[in-house]
Each structure stands twice: as C-alpha cells, then as structure tokens.
Amino acid sequence: MTQALSGRILLKEDQTARYYRIPGGEIVSTIKDLKEKGLNLISIFGVEEFEGETGCSLLYVLENPGSEKMLILVSHGNGMARCSVSGIFPVASLFEREIADGFGIVFTGAFDTRRLFLHEAYPAGFHPLKKEVQNKPPTTVGENKPGDPYQFKTIEGSSVFQVPVGPVHAGIIEPGHFRFSVIGETIVNLEIRLGYLHRGLEKCAEGKTPEQTVRIAESISGDESAVNACGLCMAIEQICGVTIPPRAEYIRGVLLELERACSLLSDLAGMVTDIAHPVSASRFTVLREHIQREADQICGSRFLKGAICPGGVSDQISKESLDHLFKNAGEIERELDEIAGWVLSIPSVIDRFATTGVVQPELIRSLALSGPVARASGSFADTRINHPYGVYRERIPGQVCEQGGDVLARFTLKHQEIRASLRLIQELIVFLPEGPAKIPVQVHDGFALSMAESPRGMVLHWVYIRNGFIDRYKVRTASFCNWYAIEHAVIGNIVADFPVINKSLNLSYAGTDL
C-alpha cells in the first residue's frame, strides 16, 4: 500500500482513517494498484466546497484488512465528469450512480448510468445534494410527463418470462421492485430497484447542530436506531476531541448488543414464517417482545431512541433496569436455544433451508458485503473486531462464522450471534464501571469517519462540521450494498423460495432510501 501512495500528499490522519490527496486523472490507476495490494472499496461519496476547494470533491473509502484504519482518497475537481472505477470494483457502480443523482457528476466509462434514487418523477437537472439546491420539496414532473422510463435488463429467449413484484407489496412493508426473469419456475435473473421513498436525510442534516442530527441518524432505519446514533456520535466526538467516560462506553455496548439480538430474532421469525411454520415464528416473536420491553424499561423507547447522545448516553438509564436485563438475558438465551434446536430438528425445515439462496464467497469483495450475509459465506469480517471501537476494544465479542452461504447457514449464524450478544450484554453489565455516563461536548469544526457493526453489517458515518453546524453528513448502511447479494442468491432457485431467501437476508428498505 505504501508504494501505491508514494509521493501522495497525506492530508490528515486521525483515529479511524488516513486521508490522501489524489489527482483526478490518477484515481483509476491508484484504485487498481490498491486492489492488487488487497484493499477493498467500500464507499465513494461527494462533498462540495471541501476544505476550501471549489466544486465537488470525491472521497473513496477503502478498507485494508490488515489495518484498523480506513484509507480515504480525496480527489478534487471543478468539472462534472470523472472517471469510473466500476470496472475495478463492481460495487462502485452503486456509489457512482448515487453521486450522479445527488451532485450531477457524470462518470465516464461506467457500465451503468441509470438513475438510482431519483426516479422518473424528479425533473432533469435536479441534484439535491448541491449547495445551490434548497432543502424543500421539489417540483415533480407530474403523472402526465414522466421522465425516461427505467430500463430493466432484458433476458432473451423464447421461454423466458418476466415476473414483476412490487413496489407495492401484500404486507405492510416499504416499497421495492423485484423484476424476475424465469423459465418455468426457475429464476434466471433478478433485478431490484429501490429508492421509492427517498427521504433526503443527508440534505436534511445540512445546517443542523450535531445534537439535532442525532434524531436524523435514529430515523435512518427503525431497528438500527442505536447503532446509527452511535456511529454519528462517535464521528462527532472524534472531531471534537472528546473521550466519553468508560461507563458510557459499556452502556453503549449493552444497547448495541440488545438492538442486535432484537433485530436478528425478527430475522429468525421471518424465515420460519415464510416456510409456513407459524408456531416457531410466534415463539421467536415473543422473545423479541421481551427484548423490546427491556429496551423500553432501560431508556423509554422500544427502539432505543434517545439513549445515545454526543458525549455518552442518557443519564436516565438506571442500574436497576440494567440489572433486570441481566437477569432476563439468560432466560431468553435458554428459550432461544430450545426453539432453534426444535426448528432445526424438523426435516421439512432443513429441506427448505439447505442449499437455498447461496451467496458465493467471491461476491463478498466485489459487492462490499458485510455482516451476517458475509459471515454465513465464510467471511470472518466483523467491524467490532477488525476496526474495534468503544467497549469492543476491551470486551471482544464472540466470533461466529458459517461456510454454507445458504438460508440454513444464515439461520444458524444468526441464532449463534444472538446467543453471543446476550452473553456479552451480561458480561458488560457485570463489569459496568462506576462514574458519569455523559460529559459535555464543545463543538469544533472538522471532519471524521466512524465505523460500526449494525445487525446487518458495517455502517459508515462521515461528518463534516463547519462553523459549528453540519455541512455534510454521509451515511452508508450495510443494506445499501447487501441488497444486491439477493440478485445473485436467487439464481437457479424457484420463485416460491424467493420470500425465504429475502427474509434470510432481511435488509432494510429505509436504510437504502435515505
């Protein structure tokens, strides 16, 4: 890596990243060299007027498996055309399409230039993340004057039929379109389209105080409120040079693991629901309800909202509520093991789970997959371990990995991860330090990146503060990348298996439609 960046200007090095300036004309060759050195591209995003520069700067975030710190390449430019790196890392296509919608940048050499989150109703030339665009509802083109229709991939063949599903679904869930190409019942291609409920959260954060922005972070994805609030707060605290008290670190760890257990229990219930096993689904849901009641008792929110803030955690969290959680965590684990063991003893369950919806290991790097999706396909990547933060520097979580890559592997892995989270919660409560749970934060200008492990995988929060207010807030959730694993996982499976494959990944629509 050092040789690939020889002669480059080091702009900044902090707790989580090293920033290097790269001329725009050399970004492709630099990214290619870094890939050969083993680094993985995990995000690209744009920032206007970054550190005194005119125009839009692009920041390329790469993960070095051998380093706790990320590498960020900063490429400045005044023009609206940049070179695509999607031929090197396919996942770059998603990031580049997002930047094209947000800032109007054109990526030359890109293999996919379709809109990502700006659908046909948005007018041509509307790019909401540009500073000149006010944060207000846009004027849409109207139903009678739609933009160019979205072009789905066409699979040729006399026996190939298309099966469109969504964006409106039978259940009370968020919108997403799934375009299947099938021969008989067998799926030969799937293309997904999201962005139907783009909310403009990153634009909404502009001009807010860091404290106000926490509420925005909590609304990114309902069942990941705590981890997104924590990610934002860690970036803010790094900018402001704040080290939160040990007690706050431990309580944050309890909240994050509680959220993980709750989300993954929902996944287990969803998987058995979609193979018509409602009895076990009900029992998993009951356990999830127990955890949500514990969350409500701890902080007054079943989704842990308002619990994490810059400088620590809410001072309303009592020792008594944590002791109550400690007592019940063991009982929840015992019942979880009983239910999971029963489910996996049923031949019809194994028949539906095994070899269904396989995510091949080689997709992990190409698509920047993370979390249970990657770990069920042989990866040991876990942000809490590879890029430790907060209490995870002291209390290392139990590492879980499965090799099969199918629905069965994801069910098994999520069961084991819930057990590991419940045990870690008990450990953190036992060793909970005394002292304050929050300290004041004096806001400073600057920028920083934080990484955290959500129930679905790695989340990135990048914050840029100018004149005491948020100038740019970039979020990349695990779902943003992981959604595209399903396009590969369903190939060769039958249409009837799509629901259980989808539920085994259980990705967030809201976490993508920012």
Side-chain angles (χ1 to χ4, degrees):
M1 186 186 79
T2 305
Q3 185 176 1
L5 297 172
S6 178
R8 309 301 187 192
I9 298 175
L10 178 64
L11 295 177
K12 175 188 175 183
E13 181 172 359
D14 57 27
Q15 299 171 27
T16 56
R18 298 181 181 91
Y19 295 76
Y20 285 88
R21 185 193 302 272
I22 306 294
E26 299 177 20
I27 194 68
V28 173
S29 60
T30 304
I31 293 287
K32 185 176 181 180
D33 289 346
L34 291 171
K35 181 181 181 181
E36 293 175 354
K37 299 291 189 299
L39 276 73
N40 303 317
L41 181 71
I42 58 173
S43 185
I44 312 172
F45 58 93
V47 186
E48 282 196 333
E49 302 172 6
F50 179 54
E51 294 294 272
E53 296 287 340
T54 58
C56 183
S57 301
L58 298 186
L59 279 69
Y60 297 75
V61 184
L62 295 103
E63 181 181 23
N64 183 355
S67 172
E68 293 184 2
K69 294 187 179 183
M70 296 296 182
L71 173 66
I72 300 181
L73 308 181
V74 182
S75 177
H76 298 298
N78 293 318
M80 299 308 292
R82 309 293 171 87
C83 294
S84 171
V85 298
S86 59
I88 304 170
F89 286 102
V91 72
S93 176
L94 295 175
F95 306 137
E96 291 171 356
R97 290 168 64 194
E98 182 185 38
I99 293 167
D101 281 359
F103 294 94
I105 296 204
V106 176
F107 288 89
T108 60
F111 61 77
D112 190 350
T113 58
R114 295 172 297 176
R115 287 185 172 192
L116 188 67
F117 67 83
L118 294 184
H119 285 211
E120 292 83 348
Y122 291 95
F126 174 70
H127 302 291
L129 291 179
K130 294 177 71 68
K131 295 294 185 186
E132 63 193 41
V133 177
Q134 293 183 349
N135 183 19
K136 64 179 183 179
T139 302
T140 59
V141 298
E143 295 182 4
N144 298 324
K145 297 179 181 179
D148 294 334
Y150 190 84
Q151 297 297 318
F152 287 93
K153 300 170 187 174
T154 301
I155 306 299
E156 302 291 342
S158 59
S159 300
V160 178
F161 294 88
Q162 288 192 349
V163 180
V165 178
V168 179
H169 301 284
I172 306 175
I173 61 174
E174 296 152 295
H177 183 82
F178 301 85
R179 183 69 61 94
F180 296 88
S181 296
V182 301
I183 298 178
E185 280 288 307
T186 303
I187 302 168
V188 296
N189 188 68
L190 169 63
E191 188 171 2
I192 65 174
R193 191 186 189 199
L194 305 173
Y196 290 91
L197 285 184
H198 172 65
R199 296 167 289 164
L201 294 184
E202 293 178 1
K203 187 70 175 182
C204 185
E206 292 180 9
K208 299 288 193 300
T209 66
E211 189 79 30
Q212 291 170 330
T213 311
V214 176
R215 305 287 84 81
I216 295 174
E218 290 178 333
S219 66
I220 290 170
S221 184
D223 60 353
E224 295 178 333
S225 298
V227 72
N228 284 315
C230 186
L232 171 65
C233 290
M234 288 193 298
I236 293 170
E237 289 154 3
Q238 187 178 167
I239 293 169
C240 300
V242 169
T243 301
I244 69 172
R247 184 177 182 84
E249 296 279 28
Y250 272 66
I251 294 177
R252 281 186 181 182
V254 170
L255 299 175
L256 295 176
E257 295 307 314
L258 193 64
E259 181 175 75
R260 187 183 322 282
C262 184
S263 180
L264 295 182
L265 273 168
S266 181
D267 293 1
L268 299 187
M271 280 187 260
V272 292
T273 295
D274 284 340
I275 60 168
H277 206 267
V279 176
S280 58
S282 297
R283 293 187 66 185
F284 283 131
T285 304
V286 167
L287 293 184
R288 181 176 185 266
E289 175 64 20
H290 286 319
I291 287 181
Q292 288 199 290
R293 291 183 181 186
E294 294 290 341
D296 186 53
Q297 184 170 338
I298 290 171
C299 66
S301 168
R302 290 165 59 87
F303 291 94
L304 298 170
K305 293 187 175 183
I308 296 176
C309 56
V313 296
S314 168
D315 53 14
Q316 301 301 313
I317 297 175
S318 67
K319 182 67 164 59
E320 290 73 23
S321 64
L322 294 175
D323 289 341
H324 189 271
L325 171 61
F326 176 87
K327 183 178 71 173
N328 288 337
E331 183 58 36
I332 291 172
E333 181 187 349
R334 284 188 290 274
E335 189 167 350
L336 169 68
D337 288 345
E338 177 188 328
I339 304 168
W342 171 50
V343 168
L344 294 177
S345 71
I346 301 171
S348 61
V349 171
I350 302 301
D351 181 63
R352 292 295 304 277
F353 282 3
T355 72
T356 302
V358 175
V359 175
Q360 298 293 346
E362 55 266 25
L363 293 174
I364 296 172
R365 188 183 191 195
S366 298
L367 298 180
L369 305 181
S370 63
V373 175
R375 290 193 287 275
S377 294
S379 171
F380 284 94
D382 186 325
T383 314
R384 298 171 297 172
I385 298 171
N386 305 124
H387 308 283
Y389 55 93
V391 75
Y392 302 116
R393 297 188 186 97
E394 296 180 24
R395 304 289 173 179
I396 301 173
Q399 196 164 31
V400 184
C401 177
E402 293 288 331
Q403 301 295 325
D406 55 6
V407 173
L408 179 59
R410 290 189 283 276
F411 183 93
T412 303
L413 180 127
K414 290 181 178 185
H415 166 221
Q416 296 299 324
E417 292 205 343
I418 296 168
R419 296 178 78 246
S421 289
L422 292 171
R423 292 182 179 186
L424 183 55
I425 286 170
Q426 292 179 304
E427 179 184 342
L428 294 175
I429 294 174
V430 166
F431 293 100
L432 182 66
E434 297 294 334
K438 181 181 178 182
I439 59 172
V441 175
Q442 182 68 41
V443 176
H444 298 292
D445 288 355
F447 55 91
L449 173 75
S450 74
M451 303 85 70
E453 184 75 13
S454 78
R456 296 181 174 94
M458 177 186 284
V459 294
L460 304 175
H461 290 258
W462 190 85
V463 178
Y464 184 28
I465 299 176
R466 287 206 301 181
N467 302 318
F469 296 94
I470 302 294
D471 185 80
R472 178 78 168 99
Y473 176 34
K474 174 60 192 168
V475 181
R476 197 231 67 182
T477 66
S479 292
F480 185 83
C481 298
N482 286 353
W483 262 116
Y484 295 89
I486 199 170
E487 294 186 336
H488 300 268
V490 300
I491 302 301
N493 291 264
I494 61 174
V495 175
D497 278 336
F498 169 72
V500 71
I501 297 171
N502 187 21
K503 196 63 70 174
S504 73
L505 301 172
N506 200 25
L507 303 170
S508 172
Y509 294 88
T512 303
D513 295 352
L514 302 182

